[in-house]
Amino acid sequence: MSKRVVIVGGGVIGLLTAYNLAANAEQVVVCDQGAVGRESSWAGGGIVSPLYPWRYSPAVTALAHWSQDFYPRLGDHLFARTGIDPQVHTTGLYWLDLEDQDQALAWAAREQRPLSEVAISAAYAAVSALGPGYERALYMPGVANVRNPRLVKSLKAALLALPNVSLREHCQISGFVRTHERISGVVTQEGVLSADEVVLSAGAWSGDLLRTLGLELPVEPVKGQMILFKCAADFLPSMVLAKGRYAIPRRDGHILVGSTLEHEGYDKTPTEVALNSLRASAIELLPQLAQAPVVAHWAGLRPGSPEGVPYIGPVPGHAGLWLNCGHYRNGLVLAPASCKLLVDLMSGARPLIDPAPYAPAGRVD
């Protein structure tokens, strides 16, 4: 492993990459233009599954399966190391009145995942707060959600405890340093930061940074807005999803409802239109939320990419530059497997899965 690695971007992908690299690298530096973990990683819902896993390619499925199985262990490990519990909360997930239910069941049989049709009466018995009128339900029992702000805090604390890792927050990166055919560092507002290897994991900003090298990476910001309610701790025992909107219970009774999909560039301003739309969806799904105040409303920027398949691996023609970005709506879901795969590739270890579908070669112009 190289002596010094600089990671551009301090979301969950960048932080977990740093944590995995720290065992073998002499020094790891994480740079973020703001506070680490405060962009997409902070804003998402934290469901440890794609919303509709059967609609994704096998490449996304492979990363998701490994990560889902690993998340409880990761949560326990970070809690033991830092005292900050990421709260990997296994609740199961109900999908209601799906248009492509047959496709979902066929996917579950093919992938041997425990997704099955249940009687709608069973769904109402399990989730008594559900609104009226739903006719069909699918259920997957093992799906968890992670309390993503706490995951970020726990990862940050774990990294700060390592002597060979440093976090540089509010460190704007404007470009890369090239020595002959090799990337040998990054340009910050404070000067050049040299490195043996550079990892680009800057979320929605990754495409802009790679463009400084004359490369086109089809990653763009996609705005998502969410709202938060506070209810009794036992109000919602399972995650539920209908008509493209979902409700996620936290252990303390907070209920997240999301989300929107908006192509508005880098604008993260929460809007009244989205607030009203999300609240209406929440009340349709769980009518008792009409009496619960919205305690928070926010927006974040996802790193949109074609088909949601991330870019993981070396950049051809730019030795020393690696990508781990473009996870779109599934950064939290795919993070453990994505970061493990990247570190496998960087260290020459046998990759945990076939890396070919994620390789930048042929996908970055």
Side-chain angles (χ1 to χ4, degrees), residues 140-152:
M140 186 181 284
V143 183
N145 66 78
V146 61
R147 198 155 184 170
N148 37 304
R150 296 192 181 204
L151 175 63
V152 167

Side-chain angles (χ1 to χ4, degrees), residues 49-293:
S49 170
L51 292 182
Y52 304 97
W54 53 90
R55 297 178 187 174
Y56 284 92
S57 71
V60 173
T61 296
L63 291 172
H65 285 184
W66 194 93
S67 294
Q68 286 169 321
D69 294 340
F70 184 75
Y71 247 113
R73 199 184 331 162
L74 175 63
D76 290 344
H77 172 80
L78 290 172
F79 188 21
R81 289 291 298 267
T82 68
I84 302 170
D85 186 0
Q87 293 189 8
V88 180
H89 185 29
T90 301
T91 65
L93 172 58
Y94 285 93
W95 288 267
L96 305 172
D97 289 354
L98 280 170
E99 295 179 356
D100 55 352
Q101 178 166 303
D102 291 344
Q103 181 183 343
L105 291 170
W107 170 88
R110 185 173 63 251
E111 298 292 333
Q112 297 185 318
R113 305 304 283 183
L115 172 70
S116 59
E117 184 174 8
V118 298
I120 193 63
S121 58
Y124 276 103
V127 186
S128 59
L130 272 181
Y134 295 107
E135 298 178 352
R136 293 175 296 136
L138 296 183
Y139 180 61
M140 186 181 284
V143 183
N145 66 78
V146 61
R147 198 155 184 170
N148 37 304
R150 296 192 181 204
L151 175 63
V152 167
K153 291 177 181 178
S154 188
L155 279 169
K156 180 178 180 180
L159 289 170
L160 290 174
L162 297 175
N164 62 330
V165 177
S166 60
L167 305 181
R168 297 197 178 189
E169 299 181 289
H170 307 288
C171 178
Q172 187 78 39
I173 304 298
S174 58
F176 302 91
V177 179
R178 186 201 294 267
T179 303
H180 304 298
E181 295 302 313
R182 186 174 187 86
I183 299 302
S184 58
V186 296
V187 181
T188 80
Q189 73 269 37
E190 298 173 358
V192 169
L193 188 58
S194 298
D196 299 296
E197 310 279 346
V198 174
V199 177
L200 179 59
S201 58
W205 289 265
S206 298
D208 289 347
L209 285 168
L210 210 57
R211 202 168 292 120
T212 65
L213 293 172
L215 298 173
E216 284 298 323
L217 175 72
V219 172
E220 62 177 3
V222 181
K223 182 177 178 179
Q225 299 188 51
M226 300 188 69
I227 58 176
L228 182 70
F229 298 89
K230 182 65 168 71
C231 302
D234 61 351
F235 170 70
L236 183 62
S238 177
M239 293 180 284
V240 290
L241 192 158
K243 298 182 180 179
R245 297 276 167 86
Y246 52 80
I248 306 171
R250 301 303 198 206
R251 289 178 182 170
D252 62 0
H254 280 101
I255 308 294
L256 284 78
V257 175
S259 67
T260 65
L261 279 172
E262 305 168 61
H263 293 267
E264 301 287 347
Y266 290 101
D267 176 23
K268 292 191 298 178
T269 308
T271 65
E272 194 73 20
V273 169
L275 172 63
N276 292 335
S277 173
L278 289 167
R279 190 170 184 274
S281 294
I283 293 169
E284 181 180 6
L285 190 58
L286 303 164
Q288 293 176 54
L289 291 180
Q291 280 72 53

